[in-house]
C-alpha cells in the first residue's frame, strides 16, 4: 500500500473516531456539571469521550462504592459545606471541583501513579488504601486532560447525569498493601 | 481549646490529594503544628485529621526527610483528633495519647515527607538556632516571637 492510501485510510479512521466522540457526547447529559457553573466557564470545552484508555482512581476501601465517584462539588453541595472563601468566578477551581480526578493507567504511568497513591496511604495508614482500574463505557461521561506539575497523566472526569457504577467496565482493584515492605504489610 | 489546636488560614499544604493530606501552619499562639489526613466519613460529611504539635527540631527533621511522620507522632508534645466539615470548619476536637491510637490509625513506618523542603520552613531553622543560642547564652534576651513554646493543653 502506498503512503497516500495509508494517509487516506488513517484520515477516514480519525474522522470516524471524531464523529463517534461527537455522537456519544451529544447523547449524554451534563446538567449537573453545567448547573451553578458561571456562564463564562465551560468545563466541557475540551472534553472528549475516551473509551480506549484505562483509568486509575484511589478508593477508600477494598471495594468500589458509588461514593468513590462523588465529586468534591457534590460533597460540598450535599452537605451544605462549600468553603467559606470559595471563588465561584474562578473557572479552574469550579470545573476542577466538579470533575473527578483520575489518572491514565498505562505502562509508562503505572509506577508514577502507584507512588503518588502510596504516598497518601503511608501518611493516612488507613484511608485510600486501594486503587480502582477501570474503563469508561459509552455513556459514562467525558474526560478533560489536566496534567499536573507532579503527574502528567491526570484527567478530570465529568460524569453523565445518569452515571452509576454500571457506567464503568473492566474493573480491577489493586491493594496498595502489596507495594509495602513485608514488615509494614504485617503491620496493617 | 479549638483556637489553640486549629491552624490559622495561612497554612501551607505540603502534600495534596483529593483533600489536603499534610498541612503545616501555626495556631493563634504562633506554634507550628502539622495536620495530617486520617479518613473521610462520608455518612457524616466529615474529614478527620490529626493535629500534631512537636518541637521545632522534630518538625524540621521530618521536613528534611530524616525521620518519618510516624516518628513525629511518637515524639509529639500533643496529638489531637480533629473532626472537620467538608469546608474545614472544626466540628470536634479530642486530645489523644499516642499510646491510645489503634494500629490502623497510625501512619506507616515509611511515611517520609514526599517533597523537598520549601524555603518557608527556614523560619523553623532560625527558631532552632535561636533557641540553641538561648540555651548556650541564657542571659541573652529573645523576643516573644523567637521564643514560643508549645503550650500546655488541658
Amino acid at each position: 500500500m502506498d503512503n497516500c492510501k495509508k494517509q487516506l485510510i488513517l484520515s477516514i479512521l480519525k474522522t470516524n473516531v471524531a464523529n463517534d466522540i461527537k455522537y456519544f457526547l451529544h447523547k449524554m447529559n451534563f446538567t449537573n456539571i453545567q448547573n451553578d457553573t458561571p456562564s463564562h466557564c465551560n468545563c466541557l470545552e475540551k472534553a472528549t469521550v475516551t473509551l480506549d484508555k484505562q483509568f486509575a482512581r484511589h478508593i477508600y476501601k477494598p471495594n468500589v462504592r458509588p461514593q468513590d465517584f462523588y465529586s468534591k462539588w457534590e460533597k460540598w453541595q450535599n452537605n451544605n459545606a462549600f468553603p467559606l472563601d470559595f471563588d465561584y468566578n474562578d473557572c479552574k477551581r469550579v470545573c476542577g471541583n466538579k470533575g473527578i480526578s483520575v489518572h491514565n493507567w498505562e505502562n509508562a504511568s503505572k509506577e508514577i501513579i502507584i507512588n503518588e497513591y502510596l504516598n497518601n496511604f503511608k501518611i493516612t495508614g488507613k484511608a485510600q488504601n486501594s486503587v480502582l482500574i477501570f474503563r469508561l463505557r459509552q455513556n459514562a461521561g467525558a474526560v478533560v486532560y489536566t496534567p499536573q506539575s507532579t503527574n502528567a497523566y491526570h484527567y478530570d472526569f465529568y460524569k453523565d447525569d445518569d452515571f452509576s457504577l454500571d457506567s464503568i467496565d473492566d474493573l480491577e482493584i489493586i491493594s496498595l498493601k502489596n507495594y509495602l515492605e513485608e514488615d509494614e504489610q504485617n503491620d496493617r | 481549646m479549638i483556637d489553640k489546636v486549629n491552624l490559622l488560614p495561612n497554612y501551607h499544604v505540603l502534600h495534596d490529594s483529593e483533600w489536603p493530606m499534610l498541612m503545616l501552619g501555626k495556631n493563634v499562639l504562633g506554634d507550628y503544628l502539622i495536620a495530617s489526613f486520617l479518613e473521610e466519613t462520608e455518612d457524616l460529611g466529615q474529614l478527620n485529621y490529626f493535629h500534631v504539635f512537636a518541637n521545632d527540631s522534630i518538625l524540621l527533621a521530618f521536613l528534611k526527610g530524616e525521620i518519618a511522620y510516624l516518628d513525629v507522632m511518637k515524639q509529639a508534645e500533643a496529638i489531637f483528633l480533629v473532626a472537620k466539615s467538608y469546608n474545614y470548619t472544626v466540628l470536634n476536637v479530642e486530645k489523644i495519647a499516642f499510646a491510645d491510637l489503634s494500629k490502623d490509625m497510625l501512619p506507616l513506618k515509611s511515611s517520609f515527607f514526599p517533597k523537598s523542603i520549601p524555603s518557608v520552613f527556614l523560619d523553623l531553622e532560625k527558631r532552632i538556632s535561636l533557641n540553641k543560642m538561648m540555651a548556650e547564652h541564657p542571659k541573652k534576651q529573645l523576643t516573644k516571637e523567637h521564643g514560643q513554646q508549645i503550650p500546655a493543653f488541658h
Side-chain angles (χ1 to χ4, degrees), chain B residues 55-88:
Chain B
N55 75 42
D56 293 353
S57 313
I58 291 170
L59 291 180
L60 194 62
F62 169 62
L63 296 169
K64 283 182 166 174
E66 292 166 1
I67 59 171
Y69 185 53
L70 177 64
D71 301 313
V72 177
M73 288 185 72
K74 275 182 190 167
Q75 299 173 65
E77 307 264 349
I79 300 173
F80 295 87
L81 190 54
V82 181
K84 303 180 187 190
S85 70
Y86 282 136
N87 64 9
Y88 310 121

PDB file of all heavy atoms in Angstrom, chain B residues 55-88:
ATOM      1  N   ASN B  55       8.159  19.572  68.782  1.00  0.00           N
ATOM      2  CA  ASN B  55       9.099  20.697  68.845  1.00  0.00           C
ATOM      3  C   ASN B  55       9.730  20.938  67.474  1.00  0.00           C
ATOM      4  O   ASN B  55       9.693  20.084  66.586  1.00  0.00           O
ATOM      5  CB  ASN B  55      10.112  20.541  69.978  1.00  0.00           C
ATOM      6  CG  ASN B  55      11.179  19.518  69.666  1.00  0.00           C
ATOM      7  OD1 ASN B  55      11.691  19.458  68.550  1.00  0.00           O
ATOM      8  ND2 ASN B  55      11.515  18.705  70.649  1.00  0.00           N
ATOM      9  N   ASP B  56      10.278  22.124  67.322  1.00  0.00           N
ATOM     10  CA  ASP B  56      10.750  22.565  66.007  1.00  0.00           C
ATOM     11  C   ASP B  56      11.765  21.607  65.392  1.00  0.00           C
ATOM     12  O   ASP B  56      11.753  21.372  64.182  1.00  0.00           O
ATOM     13  CB  ASP B  56      11.376  23.962  66.129  1.00  0.00           C
ATOM     14  CG  ASP B  56      10.338  25.021  66.473  1.00  0.00           C
ATOM     15  OD1 ASP B  56       9.141  24.686  66.475  1.00  0.00           O
ATOM     16  OD2 ASP B  56      10.732  26.167  66.724  1.00  0.00           O
ATOM     17  N   SER B  57      12.665  21.061  66.219  1.00  0.00           N
ATOM     18  CA  SER B  57      13.716  20.177  65.669  1.00  0.00           C
ATOM     19  C   SER B  57      13.092  18.934  65.048  1.00  0.00           C
ATOM     20  O   SER B  57      13.540  18.461  64.000  1.00  0.00           O
ATOM     21  CB  SER B  57      14.678  19.720  66.765  1.00  0.00           C
ATOM     22  OG  SER B  57      15.051  20.804  67.532  1.00  0.00           O
ATOM     23  N   ILE B  58      12.063  18.416  65.687  1.00  0.00           N
ATOM     24  CA  ILE B  58      11.407  17.206  65.168  1.00  0.00           C
ATOM     25  C   ILE B  58      10.685  17.520  63.855  1.00  0.00           C
ATOM     26  O   ILE B  58      10.794  16.777  62.880  1.00  0.00           O
ATOM     27  CB  ILE B  58      10.437  16.627  66.224  1.00  0.00           C
ATOM     28  CG1 ILE B  58      11.253  16.071  67.390  1.00  0.00           C
ATOM     29  CG2 ILE B  58       9.551  15.539  65.632  1.00  0.00           C
ATOM     30  CD1 ILE B  58      10.440  15.675  68.598  1.00  0.00           C
ATOM     31  N   LEU B  59       9.979  18.643  63.842  1.00  0.00           N
ATOM     32  CA  LEU B  59       9.276  19.024  62.611  1.00  0.00           C
ATOM     33  C   LEU B  59      10.263  19.205  61.466  1.00  0.00           C
ATOM     34  O   LEU B  59      10.031  18.747  60.338  1.00  0.00           O
ATOM     35  CB  LEU B  59       8.490  20.321  62.819  1.00  0.00           C
ATOM     36  CG  LEU B  59       7.278  20.244  63.748  1.00  0.00           C
ATOM     37  CD1 LEU B  59       6.600  21.597  63.861  1.00  0.00           C
ATOM     38  CD2 LEU B  59       6.275  19.221  63.235  1.00  0.00           C
ATOM     39  N   LEU B  60      11.360  19.862  61.770  1.00  0.00           N
ATOM     40  CA  LEU B  60      12.358  20.117  60.721  1.00  0.00           C
ATOM     41  C   LEU B  60      12.988  18.806  60.230  1.00  0.00           C
ATOM     42  O   LEU B  60      13.185  18.625  59.023  1.00  0.00           O
ATOM     43  CB  LEU B  60      13.439  21.060  61.246  1.00  0.00           C
ATOM     44  CG  LEU B  60      14.337  21.677  60.185  1.00  0.00           C
ATOM     45  CD1 LEU B  60      13.530  22.539  59.226  1.00  0.00           C
ATOM     46  CD2 LEU B  60      15.435  22.515  60.822  1.00  0.00           C
ATOM     47  N   ALA B  61      13.268  17.912  61.167  1.00  0.00           N
ATOM     48  CA  ALA B  61      13.852  16.614  60.774  1.00  0.00           C
ATOM     49  C   ALA B  61      12.898  15.864  59.847  1.00  0.00           C
ATOM     50  O   ALA B  61      13.322  15.228  58.877  1.00  0.00           O
ATOM     51  CB  ALA B  61      14.146  15.779  62.020  1.00  0.00           C
ATOM     52  N   PHE B  62      11.602  15.982  60.104  1.00  0.00           N
ATOM     53  CA  PHE B  62      10.614  15.342  59.223  1.00  0.00           C
ATOM     54  C   PHE B  62      10.629  16.001  57.839  1.00  0.00           C
ATOM     55  O   PHE B  62      10.665  15.320  56.815  1.00  0.00           O
ATOM     56  CB  PHE B  62       9.220  15.437  59.849  1.00  0.00           C
ATOM     57  CG  PHE B  62       8.115  15.044  58.911  1.00  0.00           C
ATOM     58  CD1 PHE B  62       8.044  13.747  58.388  1.00  0.00           C
ATOM     59  CD2 PHE B  62       7.144  15.963  58.524  1.00  0.00           C
ATOM     60  CE1 PHE B  62       7.036  13.387  57.509  1.00  0.00           C
ATOM     61  CE2 PHE B  62       6.131  15.598  57.637  1.00  0.00           C
ATOM     62  CZ  PHE B  62       6.082  14.310  57.130  1.00  0.00           C
ATOM     63  N   LEU B  63      10.630  17.325  57.836  1.00  0.00           N
ATOM     64  CA  LEU B  63      10.586  18.044  56.555  1.00  0.00           C
ATOM     65  C   LEU B  63      11.855  17.825  55.734  1.00  0.00           C
ATOM     66  O   LEU B  63      11.851  17.936  54.516  1.00  0.00           O
ATOM     67  CB  LEU B  63      10.361  19.540  56.789  1.00  0.00           C
ATOM     68  CG  LEU B  63       9.013  19.892  57.425  1.00  0.00           C
ATOM     69  CD1 LEU B  63       8.962  21.340  57.863  1.00  0.00           C
ATOM     70  CD2 LEU B  63       7.869  19.592  56.461  1.00  0.00           C
ATOM     71  N   LYS B  64      12.943  17.510  56.418  1.00  0.00           N
ATOM     72  CA  LYS B  64      14.199  17.228  55.713  1.00  0.00           C
ATOM     73  C   LYS B  64      14.285  15.770  55.286  1.00  0.00           C
ATOM     74  O   LYS B  64      15.255  15.351  54.675  1.00  0.00           O
ATOM     75  CB  LYS B  64      15.393  17.564  56.618  1.00  0.00           C
ATOM     76  CG  LYS B  64      15.678  19.055  56.708  1.00  0.00           C
ATOM     77  CD  LYS B  64      16.895  19.277  57.583  1.00  0.00           C
ATOM     78  CE  LYS B  64      17.417  20.694  57.434  1.00  0.00           C
ATOM     79  NZ  LYS B  64      18.502  20.977  58.372  1.00  0.00           N
ATOM     80  N   GLY B  65      13.302  14.986  55.653  1.00  0.00           N
ATOM     81  CA  GLY B  65      13.295  13.572  55.263  1.00  0.00           C
ATOM     82  C   GLY B  65      14.143  12.692  56.170  1.00  0.00           C
ATOM     83  O   GLY B  65      14.445  11.553  55.825  1.00  0.00           O
ATOM     84  N   GLU B  66      14.509  13.205  57.354  1.00  0.00           N
ATOM     85  CA  GLU B  66      15.378  12.430  58.259  1.00  0.00           C
ATOM     86  C   GLU B  66      14.579  11.448  59.124  1.00  0.00           C
ATOM     87  O   GLU B  66      15.100  10.430  59.535  1.00  0.00           O
ATOM     88  CB  GLU B  66      16.178  13.396  59.154  1.00  0.00           C
ATOM     89  CG  GLU B  66      17.197  14.203  58.370  1.00  0.00           C
ATOM     90  CD  GLU B  66      17.755  15.397  59.150  1.00  0.00           C
ATOM     91  OE1 GLU B  66      17.375  15.601  60.320  1.00  0.00           O
ATOM     92  OE2 GLU B  66      18.555  16.134  58.545  1.00  0.00           O
ATOM     93  N   ILE B  67      13.360  11.822  59.410  1.00  0.00           N
ATOM     94  CA  ILE B  67      12.507  10.920  60.201  1.00  0.00           C
ATOM     95  C   ILE B  67      11.131  10.817  59.526  1.00  0.00           C
ATOM     96  O   ILE B  67      10.754  11.696  58.752  1.00  0.00           O
ATOM     97  CB  ILE B  67      12.333  11.383  61.674  1.00  0.00           C
ATOM     98  CG1 ILE B  67      11.706  12.781  61.732  1.00  0.00           C
ATOM     99  CG2 ILE B  67      13.654  11.362  62.411  1.00  0.00           C
ATOM    100  CD1 ILE B  67      11.301  13.216  63.135  1.00  0.00           C
ATOM    101  N   ALA B  68      10.427   9.735  59.830  1.00  0.00           N
ATOM    102  CA  ALA B  68       9.102   9.534  59.239  1.00  0.00           C
ATOM    103  C   ALA B  68       8.045  10.257  60.061  1.00  0.00           C
ATOM    104  O   ALA B  68       8.281  10.629  61.218  1.00  0.00           O
ATOM    105  CB  ALA B  68       8.788   8.045  59.180  1.00  0.00           C
ATOM    106  N   TYR B  69       6.887  10.431  59.471  1.00  0.00           N
ATOM    107  CA  TYR B  69       5.793  11.097  60.175  1.00  0.00           C
ATOM    108  C   TYR B  69       5.377  10.298  61.412  1.00  0.00           C
ATOM    109  O   TYR B  69       4.998  10.865  62.434  1.00  0.00           O
ATOM    110  CB  TYR B  69       4.616  11.299  59.219  1.00  0.00           C
ATOM    111  CG  TYR B  69       3.484  12.086  59.817  1.00  0.00           C
ATOM    112  CD1 TYR B  69       3.721  13.338  60.397  1.00  0.00           C
ATOM    113  CD2 TYR B  69       2.192  11.595  59.838  1.00  0.00           C
ATOM    114  CE1 TYR B  69       2.700  14.063  60.966  1.00  0.00           C
ATOM    115  CE2 TYR B  69       1.160  12.311  60.409  1.00  0.00           C
ATOM    116  CZ  TYR B  69       1.424  13.551  60.976  1.00  0.00           C
ATOM    117  OH  TYR B  69       0.405  14.263  61.547  1.00  0.00           O
ATOM    118  N   LEU B  70       5.491   8.982  61.299  1.00  0.00           N
ATOM    119  CA  LEU B  70       5.182   8.130  62.461  1.00  0.00           C
ATOM    120  C   LEU B  70       6.071   8.523  63.646  1.00  0.00           C
ATOM    121  O   LEU B  70       5.600   8.577  64.797  1.00  0.00           O
ATOM    122  CB  LEU B  70       5.403   6.652  62.095  1.00  0.00           C
ATOM    123  CG  LEU B  70       5.200   5.640  63.219  1.00  0.00           C
ATOM    124  CD1 LEU B  70       3.752   5.644  63.704  1.00  0.00           C
ATOM    125  CD2 LEU B  70       5.575   4.234  62.750  1.00  0.00           C
ATOM    126  N   ASP B  71       7.342   8.825  63.393  1.00  0.00           N
ATOM    127  CA  ASP B  71       8.258   9.231  64.468  1.00  0.00           C
ATOM    128  C   ASP B  71       7.874  10.594  65.054  1.00  0.00           C
ATOM    129  O   ASP B  71       8.065  10.842  66.246  1.00  0.00           O
ATOM    130  CB  ASP B  71       9.704   9.269  63.957  1.00  0.00           C
ATOM    131  CG  ASP B  71      10.133   7.916  63.435  1.00  0.00           C
ATOM    132  OD1 ASP B  71       9.896   6.920  64.134  1.00  0.00           O
ATOM    133  OD2 ASP B  71      10.675   7.848  62.314  1.00  0.00           O
ATOM    134  N   VAL B  72       7.372  11.479  64.180  1.00  0.00           N
ATOM    135  CA  VAL B  72       6.908  12.785  64.677  1.00  0.00           C
ATOM    136  C   VAL B  72       5.768  12.566  65.676  1.00  0.00           C
ATOM    137  O   VAL B  72       5.757  13.157  66.761  1.00  0.00           O
ATOM    138  CB  VAL B  72       6.402  13.681  63.505  1.00  0.00           C
ATOM    139  CG1 VAL B  72       5.850  15.007  64.042  1.00  0.00           C
ATOM    140  CG2 VAL B  72       7.516  13.932  62.505  1.00  0.00           C
ATOM    141  N   MET B  73       4.860  11.661  65.308  1.00  0.00           N
ATOM    142  CA  MET B  73       3.719  11.412  66.210  1.00  0.00           C
ATOM    143  C   MET B  73       4.181  10.771  67.517  1.00  0.00           C
ATOM    144  O   MET B  73       3.676  11.107  68.596  1.00  0.00           O
ATOM    145  CB  MET B  73       2.677  10.546  65.505  1.00  0.00           C
ATOM    146  CG  MET B  73       1.927  11.325  64.418  1.00  0.00           C
ATOM    147  SD  MET B  73       0.589  10.415  63.662  1.00  0.00           S
ATOM    148  CE  MET B  73      -0.637  10.380  64.952  1.00  0.00           C
ATOM    149  N   LYS B  74       5.149   9.852  67.400  1.00  0.00           N
ATOM    150  CA  LYS B  74       5.663   9.190  68.613  1.00  0.00           C
ATOM    151  C   LYS B  74       6.258  10.196  69.591  1.00  0.00           C
ATOM    152  O   LYS B  74       6.157  10.051  70.794  1.00  0.00           O
ATOM    153  CB  LYS B  74       6.760   8.187  68.226  1.00  0.00           C
ATOM    154  CG  LYS B  74       6.235   6.820  67.816  1.00  0.00           C
ATOM    155  CD  LYS B  74       7.406   5.915  67.498  1.00  0.00           C
ATOM    156  CE  LYS B  74       6.956   4.628  66.861  1.00  0.00           C
ATOM    157  NZ  LYS B  74       8.064   3.874  66.264  1.00  0.00           N
ATOM    158  N   GLN B  75       6.936  11.215  69.035  1.00  0.00           N
ATOM    159  CA  GLN B  75       7.649  12.178  69.881  1.00  0.00           C
ATOM    160  C   GLN B  75       6.866  13.474  70.093  1.00  0.00           C
ATOM    161  O   GLN B  75       7.408  14.457  70.584  1.00  0.00           O
ATOM    162  CB  GLN B  75       9.007  12.506  69.247  1.00  0.00           C
ATOM    163  CG  GLN B  75       9.916  11.286  69.101  1.00  0.00           C
ATOM    164  CD  GLN B  75      11.169  11.614  68.316  1.00  0.00           C
ATOM    165  OE1 GLN B  75      11.985  12.412  68.762  1.00  0.00           O
ATOM    166  NE2 GLN B  75      11.330  11.017  67.141  1.00  0.00           N
ATOM    167  N   ALA B  76       5.615  13.471  69.673  1.00  0.00           N
ATOM    168  CA  ALA B  76       4.825  14.712  69.720  1.00  0.00           C
ATOM    169  C   ALA B  76       4.579  15.170  71.148  1.00  0.00           C
ATOM    170  O   ALA B  76       4.482  14.361  72.066  1.00  0.00           O
ATOM    171  CB  ALA B  76       3.502  14.492  69.005  1.00  0.00           C
ATOM    172  N   GLU B  77       4.476  16.493  71.280  1.00  0.00           N
ATOM    173  CA  GLU B  77       4.119  17.078  72.584  1.00  0.00           C
ATOM    174  C   GLU B  77       2.628  16.838  72.849  1.00  0.00           C
ATOM    175  O   GLU B  77       2.228  16.627  73.987  1.00  0.00           O
ATOM    176  CB  GLU B  77       4.359  18.587  72.554  1.00  0.00           C
ATOM    177  CG  GLU B  77       5.750  18.999  72.111  1.00  0.00           C
ATOM    178  CD  GLU B  77       6.661  19.239  73.283  1.00  0.00           C
ATOM    179  OE1 GLU B  77       6.158  19.285  74.410  1.00  0.00           O
ATOM    180  OE2 GLU B  77       7.880  19.372  73.051  1.00  0.00           O
ATOM    181  N   ALA B  78       1.837  16.918  71.786  1.00  0.00           N
ATOM    182  CA  ALA B  78       0.392  16.702  71.919  1.00  0.00           C
ATOM    183  C   ALA B  78      -0.193  16.309  70.568  1.00  0.00           C
ATOM    184  O   ALA B  78       0.256  16.791  69.537  1.00  0.00           O
ATOM    185  CB  ALA B  78      -0.284  17.971  72.421  1.00  0.00           C
ATOM    186  N   ILE B  79      -1.181  15.413  70.624  1.00  0.00           N
ATOM    187  CA  ILE B  79      -1.868  14.975  69.404  1.00  0.00           C
ATOM    188  C   ILE B  79      -3.368  15.162  69.616  1.00  0.00           C
ATOM    189  O   ILE B  79      -3.902  14.811  70.666  1.00  0.00           O
ATOM    190  CB  ILE B  79      -1.585  13.481  69.098  1.00  0.00           C
ATOM    191  CG1 ILE B  79      -0.086  13.251  68.897  1.00  0.00           C
ATOM    192  CG2 ILE B  79      -2.361  13.024  67.855  1.00  0.00           C
ATOM    193  CD1 ILE B  79       0.296  11.771  68.758  1.00  0.00           C
ATOM    194  N   PHE B  80      -4.004  15.710  68.609  1.00  0.00           N
ATOM    195  CA  PHE B  80      -5.456  15.912  68.683  1.00  0.00           C
ATOM    196  C   PHE B  80      -6.122  15.260  67.482  1.00  0.00           C
ATOM    197  O   PHE B  80      -5.593  15.330  66.358  1.00  0.00           O
ATOM    198  CB  PHE B  80      -5.786  17.410  68.683  1.00  0.00           C
ATOM    199  CG  PHE B  80      -5.273  18.113  69.891  1.00  0.00           C
ATOM    200  CD1 PHE B  80      -3.977  18.625  69.915  1.00  0.00           C
ATOM    201  CD2 PHE B  80      -6.066  18.247  71.021  1.00  0.00           C
ATOM    202  CE1 PHE B  80      -3.484  19.258  71.041  1.00  0.00           C
ATOM    203  CE2 PHE B  80      -5.574  18.883  72.152  1.00  0.00           C
ATOM    204  CZ  PHE B  80      -4.284  19.382  72.168  1.00  0.00           C
ATOM    205  N   LEU B  81      -7.255  14.655  67.730  1.00  0.00           N
ATOM    206  CA  LEU B  81      -8.092  14.134  66.663  1.00  0.00           C
ATOM    207  C   LEU B  81      -9.123  15.225  66.383  1.00  0.00           C
ATOM    208  O   LEU B  81      -9.878  15.607  67.278  1.00  0.00           O
ATOM    209  CB  LEU B  81      -8.765  12.848  67.131  1.00  0.00           C
ATOM    210  CG  LEU B  81      -9.494  12.017  66.101  1.00  0.00           C
ATOM    211  CD1 LEU B  81      -8.587  11.690  64.911  1.00  0.00           C
ATOM    212  CD2 LEU B  81      -9.980  10.719  66.733  1.00  0.00           C
ATOM    213  N   VAL B  82      -9.093  15.752  65.161  1.00  0.00           N
ATOM    214  CA  VAL B  82      -9.940  16.903  64.832  1.00  0.00           C
ATOM    215  C   VAL B  82     -10.923  16.522  63.727  1.00  0.00           C
ATOM    216  O   VAL B  82     -10.507  16.141  62.633  1.00  0.00           O
ATOM    217  CB  VAL B  82      -9.069  18.109  64.397  1.00  0.00           C
ATOM    218  CG1 VAL B  82      -9.940  19.312  64.077  1.00  0.00           C
ATOM    219  CG2 VAL B  82      -8.059  18.465  65.482  1.00  0.00           C
ATOM    220  N   ALA B  83     -12.202  16.614  64.019  1.00  0.00           N
ATOM    221  CA  ALA B  83     -13.234  16.353  63.009  1.00  0.00           C
ATOM    222  C   ALA B  83     -13.603  17.678  62.351  1.00  0.00           C
ATOM    223  O   ALA B  83     -13.851  18.669  63.030  1.00  0.00           O
ATOM    224  CB  ALA B  83     -14.457  15.730  63.666  1.00  0.00           C
ATOM    225  N   LYS B  84     -13.572  17.662  61.003  1.00  0.00           N
ATOM    226  CA  LYS B  84     -13.884  18.903  60.271  1.00  0.00           C
ATOM    227  C   LYS B  84     -14.999  18.623  59.271  1.00  0.00           C
ATOM    228  O   LYS B  84     -15.129  17.501  58.784  1.00  0.00           O
ATOM    229  CB  LYS B  84     -12.646  19.381  59.493  1.00  0.00           C
ATOM    230  CG  LYS B  84     -11.426  19.603  60.361  1.00  0.00           C
ATOM    231  CD  LYS B  84     -10.239  20.071  59.545  1.00  0.00           C
ATOM    232  CE  LYS B  84      -8.988  20.121  60.416  1.00  0.00           C
ATOM    233  NZ  LYS B  84      -7.860  20.772  59.775  1.00  0.00           N
ATOM    234  N   SER B  85     -15.753  19.665  58.964  1.00  0.00           N
ATOM    235  CA  SER B  85     -16.745  19.519  57.895  1.00  0.00           C
ATOM    236  C   SER B  85     -15.991  19.609  56.566  1.00  0.00           C
ATOM    237  O   SER B  85     -14.791  19.883  56.535  1.00  0.00           O
ATOM    238  CB  SER B  85     -17.795  20.622  58.003  1.00  0.00           C
ATOM    239  OG  SER B  85     -17.193  21.848  57.645  1.00  0.00           O
ATOM    240  N   TYR B  86     -16.707  19.405  55.466  1.00  0.00           N
ATOM    241  CA  TYR B  86     -16.045  19.458  54.153  1.00  0.00           C
ATOM    242  C   TYR B  86     -15.497  20.851  53.827  1.00  0.00           C
ATOM    243  O   TYR B  86     -14.691  20.986  52.916  1.00  0.00           O
ATOM    244  CB  TYR B  86     -17.016  19.017  53.055  1.00  0.00           C
ATOM    245  CG  TYR B  86     -17.212  17.516  52.971  1.00  0.00           C
ATOM    246  CD1 TYR B  86     -18.471  16.961  52.821  1.00  0.00           C
ATOM    247  CD2 TYR B  86     -16.124  16.647  53.000  1.00  0.00           C
ATOM    248  CE1 TYR B  86     -18.652  15.581  52.721  1.00  0.00           C
ATOM    249  CE2 TYR B  86     -16.299  15.273  52.905  1.00  0.00           C
ATOM    250  CZ  TYR B  86     -17.563  14.745  52.763  1.00  0.00           C
ATOM    251  OH  TYR B  86     -17.732  13.383  52.666  1.00  0.00           O
ATOM    252  N   ASN B  87     -15.954  21.869  54.549  1.00  0.00           N
ATOM    253  CA  ASN B  87     -15.354  23.197  54.297  1.00  0.00           C
ATOM    254  C   ASN B  87     -14.301  23.538  55.365  1.00  0.00           C
ATOM    255  O   ASN B  87     -13.945  24.690  55.535  1.00  0.00           O
ATOM    256  CB  ASN B  87     -16.425  24.285  54.187  1.00  0.00           C
ATOM    257  CG  ASN B  87     -17.200  24.485  55.470  1.00  0.00           C
ATOM    258  OD1 ASN B  87     -16.847  23.926  56.511  1.00  0.00           O
ATOM    259  ND2 ASN B  87     -18.256  25.274  55.416  1.00  0.00           N
ATOM    260  N   TYR B  88     -13.841  22.512  56.046  1.00  0.00           N
ATOM    261  CA  TYR B  88     -12.728  22.603  57.009  1.00  0.00           C
ATOM    262  C   TYR B  88     -13.086  23.324  58.314  1.00  0.00           C
ATOM    263  O   TYR B  88     -12.211  23.666  59.095  1.00  0.00           O
ATOM    264  CB  TYR B  88     -11.474  23.254  56.378  1.00  0.00           C
ATOM    265  CG  TYR B  88     -11.095  22.626  55.063  1.00  0.00           C
ATOM    266  CD1 TYR B  88     -11.031  23.395  53.900  1.00  0.00           C
ATOM    267  CD2 TYR B  88     -10.827  21.268  54.951  1.00  0.00           C
ATOM    268  CE1 TYR B  88     -10.713  22.817  52.671  1.00  0.00           C
ATOM    269  CE2 TYR B  88     -10.513  20.678  53.740  1.00  0.00           C
ATOM    270  CZ  TYR B  88     -10.452  21.455  52.610  1.00  0.00           C
ATOM    271  OH  TYR B  88     -10.153  20.877  51.397  1.00  0.00           O
TER     272      TYR B  88
END
